[in-house]
Amino acid sequence: MATVPAPSALRVALLGCGVVGTQVARLLTDQSDDLAARVGARLDLVGIAVRDASVPRDPSIDRALLTEDAQTLVEGADIVIEVMGGIEPARSLLLHAIAGGASVVTANKALLAEDGPTLYRAADEAGVDVYYEAAVAGAIPIVRPVRESLAGDRIQRVLGIVNGTTNYVLDQMATHGLALDDAVRQAQELGFAEADPTADVEGYDAAAKAAILASLAFHTRVTIDDVSREGITAVTADDVAWARQTGHVIKLLAICEASEAGVSARVHPALVPAEHPLAGVRGAFNAVFVEAEAAGELMFYGRGAGGAPTASAVLGDVVSVARHRVLGGKGPAESHYAQLPIAPASSAVTRYQVRIAVSDRPGVLAQVAQVVAEHSVSIEAVRQAPIEGSQDGVTAAHLVFTTHHATESALAGTVAAIADLDAVQGILSVLRVEGS
Ligand code: NDP
Ligand code: HSE
């Protein structure tokens, strides 16, 4: 039987020419000789689909490549790179590309977290690749390590700072005492946060990444709807100051775990002990901490966003899928054989720090301790500090207690009962403590 000769060039279609797409196009051009040597075939950028081809672009972009007809562009491509974002038309274009025999590289976490399996199934049937390293934590290699390097191990837990904007905001609050709104405004001025920062500060971006990581780590389909999500909008300057006083830093974490109840994925602000490696992740950087049975603890650190860092991850995937087209074969397909149940958020077990305002009089601490014990929650440590300025002649104090591990439902019951005590003036904050 005659063998099919390896192609000497591959047709690459780029969907999107924004923050990431511009850098992908630049690297494809600037590094074309190196890329050809690494792949064994030239990567010819045959077109760049945009919404509006008439608007000014970075001077590195060859305007002759721009088109508003993405549908026609993907037809006949060997590799389609999708960096346009959103669910539609990205999903339809990628399915059209796959049906036409193209391999696909995407940075689109929102699409993968909502409907990744539709793409993976289509790619499996067509015998092509879907690669998406850039969809989680930008430049940081994390998809490939979880999907391939750790494929022989059993991952127990993934704990990540996967959103640079919120890490920058929390870091500014901690280091400069800024209020949340001021820190968000600063992040916008520096170009970290979008004009509408909702996806970042409300945790949607991190939740999409958590869904992708949990699916990979636990060989189970996890969508963004399965992720319990809480953003950073309720974090106050007082919370940040108290975190420091108790030896912690507040981070927005994505936490993926497997337990007897199944797979859980959650995103929320949490207190991280100051000595934990994730506590030292500053500014807009990302880091993912993986706990695996045989490998032990691993940490992946770097830039989680930005045009060039994200383009680096995209290009790495492009080289991989291009090599498969030149040499034959394909990369790993979706692995969902374990099909673990999705554990309800209320089953998550962790430690908590609760800060309440109480009337500072004899017996109050004992009342609070009794309520906690009645809910089978165990206190690990308690601190008290006076609140300046008393109300109606009643001296008030902050009472801050940290629990041992407890379920979310037990903690919620405890906090509700504490709030009902006469001596309790208010629940000031309830934060989970992770990483210890
Ligand atoms: P941008 O908004 O900067 O760019 C989007 C590009 O897609 C634009 O060029 C836009 O065209 C084009 N586009 C959008 N909709 C359409 C459409 N319907 N038809 C044709 N073209 C369209 O996004 P980013 O570069 O920031 O992000 C791209 C993807 O990468 C997203 O999925 C994002 O989540 C992901 N990502 C981004 C990171 C980052 O740091 N920015 C980091 C990691 C992942 P036009 O220019 O004409 O408006
Ligand atoms: N907006 C994201 C962040 C980058 O701040 O990390 C894209 O995932």
Side-chain angles (χ1 to χ4, degrees), residues 145-225:
V146 171
R147 179 157 82 162
E148 298 180 42
S149 316
L150 291 167
D153 207 334
R154 193 172 285 147
I155 293 177
Q156 294 152 325
R157 196 161 189 247
V158 180
L159 199 64
I161 295 170
V162 292
N163 183 268
T165 303
T166 47
N167 201 56
Y168 177 84
V169 167
L170 293 171
D171 193 30
Q172 288 298 304
M173 292 174 75
T175 50
H176 300 295
L178 294 189
L180 183 107
D181 288 351
D182 294 332
V184 170
R185 209 168 302 117
Q186 198 178 89
Q188 286 169 321
E189 280 160 18
L190 289 169
F192 293 136
E194 310 245 349
D196 176 1
T198 310
D200 293 322
V201 298
E202 296 291 0
Y204 291 103
D205 176 77
K209 292 164 182 170
I212 296 169
L213 284 174
S215 304
L216 288 167
F218 305 120
H219 304 273
T220 291
R221 284 181 175 159
V222 180
T223 71
I224 192 162
D225 292 338

Side-chain angles (χ1 to χ4, degrees), residues 16-20 50-52 57 83-85 89 107-109 134 305-306 310:
C17 191
V19 174
V20 180
V50 290
R51 238 179 324 225
D52 182 351
R57 302 276 162 189
V83 283
M84 65 201 304
N108 193 336
K109 73 220 69 158
T310 308

Side-chain angles (χ1 to χ4, degrees), residues 42-67:
R42 272 195 344 274
L43 299 179
D44 288 343
L45 181 58
V46 295
I48 307 174
V50 290
R51 238 179 324 225
D52 182 351
S54 68
V55 300
R57 302 276 162 189
D58 187 274
S60 66
I61 299 299
D62 177 356
R63 296 193 69 86
L65 293 175
L66 296 173
T67 172

